[in-house]
């Protein structure tokens, strides 16, 4: 059976609107950023994000009640495909990693208090976040092998561990940190708990930014020693 890849008129409209924004706003502003000039970078980002909100292209992955476009998966794919044509495209629309994934996590599993404190600033674009799971001593993207430990001490949890390739850690206002809290659960995936960690935080030590093909910035090694949450 042949697969019909024809887009509906509604999808074509979203795609065209996003492409126009990328071509007429993001790309020219990107080209105007002066290397090593922080002011030109900040001015460009503010201009991109302001115009994205004015054009109704803000937070395409989030519900309208959280200031987003409320798009479904196919519609979102149209937006992301166009946004990814430039380096700043997803960031201009406030749908960049790791914030996008953390927004979904908080929306679906955060308490009302957590949503107000952490999700709302992410949706407004006034905060940044990171997701701390990967570890260097094991196949760190396999959550069943997590070694970072958290144990309860009275009303607090004490956390010790080692993370790396934590994208955006140095710019984050908070982290969603994955820790092992059980030794032998019925399901290996149930051994872990996600903690929200305000940053900066005593016991959270950003050791270095790791050199990758991406460059020397953006992905941190984190040592966690007796951090209290």
């Amino acid at each position: 059976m042949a697969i019909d890849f024809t887009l509906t008129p509604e999808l074509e409209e979203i795609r065209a609107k996003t492409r126009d924004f990328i071509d007429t706003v993001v790309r020219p502003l990107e080209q105007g950023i002066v290397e090593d000039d922080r002011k030109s970078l900040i001015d460009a980002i503010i201009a991109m994000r302001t115009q994205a909100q004015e054009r109704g292209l803000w937070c395409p992955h989030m519900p309208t009640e959280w200031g987003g476009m409320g798009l479904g998966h196919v519609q979102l794919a149209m937006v992301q495909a166009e946004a990814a044509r430039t380096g700043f495209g997803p960031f201009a629309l406030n749908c960049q990693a790791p914030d996008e994934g953390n927004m979904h996590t908080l929306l679906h599993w955060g308490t009302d208090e957590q949503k107000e404190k952490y999700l709302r600033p992410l949706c407004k674009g006034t905060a940044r976040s990171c997701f701390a799971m990967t570890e260097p001593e094991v196949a760190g993207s396999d959550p069943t092998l997590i070694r970072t430990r958290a144990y309860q001490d009275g009303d607090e949890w004490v956390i010790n561990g080692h993370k790396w390739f934590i994208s955006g850690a140095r710019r984050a206002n908070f982290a969603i940190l994955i820790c092992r809290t059980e030794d032998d659960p019925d399901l290996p995936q149930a051994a872990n708990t996600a903690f929200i960690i305000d940053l900066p935080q005593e016991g959270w030590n950003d050791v270095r930014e790791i050199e990758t093909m991406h460059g020397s910035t953006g992905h941190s090694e984190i040592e966690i020693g007796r951090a209290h949450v």
Side-chain angles (χ1 to χ4, degrees):
M1 182 195 308
I3 299 175
D4 183 6
F5 289 102
T6 304
L7 301 178
T8 66
E10 292 78 13
L11 288 177
E12 282 287 9
E13 182 180 357
I14 291 173
R15 186 167 73 92
K17 185 177 180 180
T18 307
R19 174 168 289 195
D20 180 70
F21 173 73
I22 294 298
D23 288 342
T24 63
V25 176
V26 177
R27 200 181 302 279
L29 285 168
E30 275 188 354
Q31 294 171 349
I33 296 173
V34 179
E35 187 175 358
D36 297 327
D37 182 352
R38 183 168 176 79
K39 184 179 186 304
S40 73
L41 172 63
I42 293 174
D43 289 346
I45 289 173
I46 291 174
M48 290 177 196
R49 292 189 141 200
T50 299
Q51 292 196 50
Q53 293 181 64
E54 291 174 352
R55 295 189 182 205
L57 291 171
W58 186 252
C59 272
H61 56 292
M62 293 300 290
T64 55
E65 59 265 32
W66 287 93
M69 297 173 66
L71 300 185
H73 293 299
V74 178
Q75 295 170 315
L76 182 58
M78 297 298 101
V79 172
Q80 292 283 29
E82 295 298 333
R85 294 169 60 235
T86 60
F88 278 88
F91 190 74
L93 304 180
N94 197 23
C95 59
Q96 72 288 338
D99 292 327
E100 181 195 8
N102 288 343
M103 289 184 208
H104 286 299
T105 299
L106 289 165
L107 178 67
H108 292 291
W109 291 287
T111 65
D112 290 342
E113 181 180 356
Q114 289 168 342
K115 288 177 183 178
E116 285 300 320
K117 182 175 180 179
Y118 300 104
L119 177 58
R120 193 168 298 282
L122 284 184
C123 292
K124 288 182 177 180
T126 57
R128 298 295 309 277
S129 64
C130 64
F131 185 79
M133 182 176 78
T134 305
E135 299 184 357
E137 291 83 10
V138 294
S141 57
D142 182 347
T144 66
L145 302 178
I146 294 296
R147 291 185 179 181
T148 296
R149 307 286 303 204
Y151 65 89
Q152 201 159 11
D153 183 13
D155 294 332
E156 294 185 320
W157 287 84
V158 181
I159 301 172
N160 295 280
H162 192 192
K163 302 289 185 180
W164 74 345
F165 294 128
I166 307 307
S167 302
R170 291 196 174 179
R171 298 181 294 273
N173 301 97
F174 69 91
I176 295 181
L177 172 64
I178 307 301
C179 306
R180 179 173 290 273
T181 51
E182 291 188 49
D183 289 321
D184 297 301
D186 292 335
L187 292 173
Q189 295 86 350
N192 300 322
T193 300
F195 293 87
I196 302 176
I197 307 294
D198 292 310
L199 298 176
Q201 168 81 233
E202 185 177 355
W204 175 281
N205 180 27
D206 193 322
V207 178
R208 62 183 174 120
E209 290 191 302
I210 302 164
E211 183 80 31
T212 67
M213 288 187 291
H214 164 270
S216 59
T217 62
H219 312 290
S220 290
E221 176 184 4
I222 309 293
E223 290 182 349
I224 305 162
R226 296 189 63 79
H228 290 253
V229 296

